[in-house]
Amino acid sequence: MGSQAIEDEAWSALEKSIIYYRGEPIGTIAALDPEIAALNYDQCFIRDFVSSALLFLIKGRSEIVRNFLEVTLVLQPKTGQLDCSKPSRGLMPASFKIQSFNGHEYLKADFGDHAIGRVAPADACLWWVILLRAYAISTQDTDLFERSDFQEGIRLVLELCLVTRFDMYPMVLVPDAASMIDRRMGLYGHPLDIQSLFYAALKASLELLVPNEANQFMIRAVQNRLEPLTKQIRENYWLDPDRLNVIYRFQVEEYGEEALNQFNIYSDSIPFYRLAKWLPEAGGYLAGNLGPSQLDCRFFSLGNLMAVISSLTDEQQSHKILNLIELRWHDLVGHMPMKLCYPALEDSDWRTVTGADPKNRPWSYHNGGSWPVLLWMLAAAAKKMDRGELAHHAIAVAERRLMQDHWPEYYDGPDGRLIGKEARKYQTWTITGYLLAKELIANPAHLKLMIFDS
Ligand code: GLC
């Protein structure tokens, strides 16, 4: 199948996924699979819409993105409260749908209260800020984000993330299942995927907050957070052969500020021999999670790719991440770009960490499955670092399967060869992940919507 035919089908599927509210386009539904019960896949998910939105911006169709930003801002809770059945101030919903009542349409938001794991999405409000910046860059329209309701919305997101809670790290503290991986996967605490988005949202907010009296305090708080956050991630999440050697010989039970092993990581908890064999000399990556006696050494693509895109990692680290993807292509890309996390949790780890989740069996879905939506992040990271050949290669791999398999949500198996066991077909962000990667390759100037300078 020629590349053009694949693109044509993808564009037409994207068109069909658009949802209208009171006659205006406001988002895209998660999937349009005629064969499986929709559950909540007929809703517009904030995180899923990001890749649709970037495409619409690229094509000059900013109206739908503006409408989306406006309606979601209205859904954001604005008042603080002490009632656990209500979403926190500043959150953005995971998804929303349109309901009709007495001939009128209304929006109904899901803050995780209907979702399977009942966890609010920490990533949605961060994506919202990142997308608002992309809208501003693309349209050159400063009026929207300068509006007082938008300025307040940004401040509330920042307040929600910057307030010190039960730890004193620069990272943001979240429960498990609070992001794209919305099921239990050992991601409580400080998972990388959230930290990368947090960092990008902080940087975006500095471009968006108008430097006035009302914002001064928040702008300073963001500036103060960026440096320790960057340092913490670049130093303590980083894994490469040199770093592995340092961690291998860590002292433990050190007391006081000067401790080298700040998180009291026990050597026995880390699969050193597997890692030493797997990590190429020229490669490196950011670990999946970090906390007390915990360094989760799984590779998470979203966090690593967004770290490259947002310049959370330095130049050399970004290249090492791409080197790793290139040199461990079979493991991380295989037959479909690309693994959401690697490797899968197996046996007793799967049982304990996921709660024996049958949907997240080893090498399926979130637990080592392959997600085509990640293709755009791979393409953006590769293009940003002048490694376009990686993006071309990944797109070529995806093109062999996506259309003939009807754009599945995810693939299973260690090499990504099986269509996901419970995957929906015509999954919108599979379609947009592919199209966006193609657009970035065709015209790298579009990168400016998503990348951040260091
Ligand atoms: C699944 C995914 C989540 C996604 C949603 C809609 O719940 O885990 O990340 O947003 O489907 O596609």
Side-chain angles (χ1 to χ4, degrees):
M1 190 58 62
S3 188
Q4 192 56 50
I6 303 176
E7 275 188 62
D8 291 348
E9 185 182 275
W11 279 112
S12 110
L14 174 59
E15 215 56 53
K16 287 188 204 138
S17 75
I18 297 176
I19 50 175
Y20 293 83
Y21 174 60
R22 299 181 180 169
E24 303 286 335
I26 56 159
T28 49
I29 59 170
L32 196 60
D33 187 337
E35 285 166 17
I36 309 187
L39 297 178
N40 56 352
Y41 281 78
D42 57 353
Q43 305 201 11
C44 177
F45 281 74
I46 276 59
R47 70 175 72 88
D48 294 41
F49 183 67
V50 172
S51 41
S52 302
L54 292 170
L55 273 174
F56 288 130
L57 290 176
I58 286 173
K59 293 293 170 190
R61 293 169 66 180
S62 55
E63 186 202 353
I64 181 171
V65 182
R66 183 190 174 100
N67 293 339
F68 169 88
L69 290 166
E70 286 187 309
V71 298
T72 43
L73 179 62
V74 173
L75 296 174
Q76 181 194 43
K78 301 291 187 298
T79 48
Q81 42 74 36
L82 302 173
D83 175 354
C84 72
S85 67
K86 303 251 166 55
S88 290
R89 175 159 93 154
L91 270 180
M92 283 287 171
S95 64
F96 61 83
K97 65 178 171 187
I98 296 158
Q99 284 188 322
S100 288
F101 187 67
N102 278 345
H104 279 284
E105 286 183 339
Y106 298 92
L107 291 179
K108 175 135 182 59
D110 182 358
F111 286 88
D113 39 334
H114 290 76
I116 297 181
R118 297 284 189 276
V119 175
D123 62 337
C125 59
L126 304 173
W127 277 122
W128 185 87
V129 176
I130 295 167
L131 183 59
L132 180 59
R133 168 187 180 261
Y135 174 88
I137 294 173
S138 163
T139 58
Q140 301 283 303
D141 168 8
T142 57
D143 291 353
L144 187 72
F145 75 78
E146 285 179 358
R147 253 167 50 183
S148 62
D149 53 342
F150 272 82
Q151 291 287 307
E152 184 195 20
I154 301 167
R155 277 199 308 271
L156 292 182
V157 169
L158 293 171
E159 185 189 283
L160 181 68
C161 298
L162 288 170
V163 159
T164 305
R165 292 204 166 77
F166 297 105
D167 65 7
M168 293 183 68
Y169 304 139
M171 300 90 86
V172 62
L173 175 70
V174 296
D176 207 344
S179 67
M180 171 177 180
I181 298 178
D182 52 5
R183 305 167 83 94
R184 188 171 142 195
M185 269 281 284
L187 297 174
Y188 47 81
H190 315 97
L192 176 70
D193 285 358
I194 289 289
Q195 308 314 319
S196 290
L197 294 177
F198 177 43
Y199 177 81
L202 289 182
K203 291 227 320 210
S205 69
L206 283 184
E207 293 175 34
L208 297 169
L209 283 174
V210 178
N212 59 21
E213 187 78 28
N215 288 341
Q216 245 177 34
F217 178 72
M218 202 49 92
I219 293 174
R220 208 161 315 123
V222 173
Q223 285 163 340
N224 288 344
R225 183 63 71 93
L226 276 168
E227 199 197 308
L229 176 66
T230 314
K231 189 167 183 299
Q232 183 77 276
I233 305 270
R234 287 184 183 177
E235 290 178 9
N236 287 318
Y237 281 69
W238 184 248
L239 287 170
D240 65 8
D242 286 345
R243 180 76 187 150
L244 215 54
N245 264 305
V246 173
I247 303 172
Y248 188 54
R249 293 167 57 85
F250 260 165
Q251 304 286 316
V252 291
E253 313 296 337
E254 296 170 295
Y255 179 80
E257 281 185 17
E258 300 307 313
L260 265 184
N261 184 1
Q262 274 180 42
F263 293 88
N264 203 32
I265 309 291
Y266 298 108
S267 214
D268 281 349
S269 69
I270 296 182
F272 280 106
Y273 295 160
R274 185 188 68 73
L275 272 176
K277 208 166 141 198
W278 188 71
L279 255 178
E281 210 47 48
Y285 68 100
L286 296 169
N289 203 351
L290 179 69
S293 298
Q294 186 200 20
L295 181 64
D296 181 340
C297 295
R298 283 176 291 168
F299 174 90
F300 286 83
S301 295
L302 188 148
N304 274 284
L305 295 172
M306 285 305 293
V308 175
I309 291 169
S310 64
S311 295
L312 170 55
T313 40
D314 65 29
E315 176 105 5
Q316 201 191 14
Q317 289 177 323
S318 295
H319 275 296
K320 285 190 171 187
I321 291 172
L322 293 172
N323 290 347
L324 179 73
I325 295 171
E326 186 171 3
L327 296 165
R328 292 292 172 262
W329 189 263
H330 179 75
D331 294 329
L332 299 175
V333 177
H335 289 263
M336 182 53 66
M338 81 173 280
K339 289 270 170 252
L340 189 53
C341 84
Y342 179 88
L345 295 163
E346 299 187 271
D347 307 317
S348 58
D349 284 346
W350 164 71
R351 213 168 282 285
T352 322
V353 178
T354 72
D357 181 348
K359 196 162 176 183
N360 271 338
R361 280 187 199 289
W363 304 110
S364 184
Y365 200 46
H366 300 138
N367 186 18
S370 305
W371 290 65
V373 61
L374 297 168
L375 190 54
W376 81 259
M377 295 179 212
L378 176 57
K383 270 303 218 191
K384 175 177 184 244
M385 301 308 295
D386 241 342
R387 307 272 294 261
E389 74 287 352
L390 285 178
H392 280 284
H393 193 175
I395 290 171
V397 173
E399 281 183 339
R400 282 188 220 131
R401 300 284 304 273
L402 283 181
M403 182 167 152
Q404 103 191 35
D405 295 342
H406 308 298
W407 312 94
E409 181 184 14
Y410 64 97
Y411 285 78
D412 285 349
D415 53 7
R417 232 188 188 139
L418 301 162
I419 298 175
K421 200 173 184 58
E422 295 180 42
R424 300 244 162 357
K425 304 273 173 74
Y426 296 98
Q427 181 82 18
T428 305
W429 70 356
T430 294
I431 294 163
T432 50
Y434 165 72
L435 284 176
L436 193 47
K438 291 289 279 193
E439 292 295 328
L440 292 175
I441 289 295
N443 186 355
H446 298 314
L447 274 177
K448 67 174 186 294
L449 302 185
M450 52 206 88
I451 63 169
F452 293 80
D453 295 333
S454 46

